[in-house]
Amino acid sequence: MHKLKMLVVLALAQACLMGTALAQVHGTADEAKAMATNAIAYIKAVGTDKAFADFTAHGGKWQDKDLYVFVVRYDGMTMAHGANKLLVGKNLIEMKDAGGNAFIREMIDLAKSKGSGWTDYLWTNPITKKIDHKSTYVIAIPNYDGFVGVGIYK
C-alpha cells in the first residue's frame, strides 16, 4: 500500500511539473498586453524604422515564450512580424482564418475605432505548428496609420 501511495504522489508531482512547464511556454493575456504597451513606448522612443526592425529580429526582447509583436498598417500591409519575417511587406487585409473570419480587418477596425482591445481568431502557433484559438491585443500607434498586436494562444 505504501508503494502505491508513493507512486500516486510521484505521478501527481510529475503532472504538476509538466503543467508548470507548459504554462511557461504560453504567454498570458497580461503579458501580451504589457508587451504591446511596451512596443508602443519603444516606437515613441526610437521611431518606426528601428522599432519595426527590432520587432522582426529573431531572438530579441520582442519574442517571449509564444508571444511576439507584429505591426500592421491600416491598409493591411505587415510592417513587422516577430514570428515570421516572410510576412513583412505582405498585405494581409483579405486574409481569413480557418473559420472564414477576416481577422486583420477586425484588428484594423478595432484599433481605428477604440484605440485598443482584444480580438479572437484562429492562427498557426509558431511553437506547435498547429492551428489554435488566439486572442490578440491591438493598440493603435500614435501618429501612424497602423497598430501593434501581441497575441496569446488559448
Side-chain angles (χ1 to χ4, degrees):
M1 189 67 152
H2 180 68
K3 284 185 178 183
L4 181 60
K5 285 182 182 178
M6 186 63 120
L7 286 174
V8 169
V9 168
L10 288 173
L12 288 172
Q14 184 177 15
C16 288
L17 288 173
M18 287 176 59
T20 301
L22 287 174
Q24 292 172 352
V25 173
H26 296 291
T28 66
D30 288 341
E31 290 169 329
K33 192 172 181 179
M35 185 180 280
T37 301
N38 291 337
I40 294 293
Y42 190 65
I43 292 167
K44 290 177 183 176
V46 303
T48 56
D49 290 343
K50 176 158 179 42
F52 295 175
D54 290 348
F55 297 157
T56 302
H58 188 68
K61 78 173 214 172
W62 301 106
Q63 294 99 33
D64 182 29
K65 302 173 193 167
D66 60 351
L67 302 176
Y68 55 88
V69 174
F70 65 95
V71 176
V72 176
R73 284 192 326 223
Y74 291 150
D75 65 1
M77 186 65 64
T78 306
M79 304 306 293
H81 202 286
N84 186 350
K85 68 180 179 179
L86 297 176
L87 293 176
V88 176
K90 305 280 189 218
N91 192 310
L92 304 180
I93 199 160
E94 298 298 329
M95 182 178 269
K96 294 183 179 177
D97 71 1
N101 179 26
F103 63 97
I104 297 294
R105 284 189 184 273
E106 285 185 7
M107 290 178 194
I108 292 167
D109 292 344
L110 178 61
K112 287 171 83 173
S113 66
K114 295 185 180 176
S116 65
W118 290 94
T119 186
D120 297 323
Y121 58 103
L122 301 170
W123 190 250
T124 302
N125 185 315
I127 293 175
T128 67
K129 308 296 186 220
K130 294 180 180 179
I131 295 175
D132 282 339
H133 290 275
K134 188 169 187 177
S135 289
T136 291
Y137 188 74
V138 300
I139 304 175
I141 301 169
N143 304 312
Y144 184 82
D145 285 336
F147 66 89
V148 163
V150 178
I152 57 168
Y153 293 92
K154 296 183 174 183

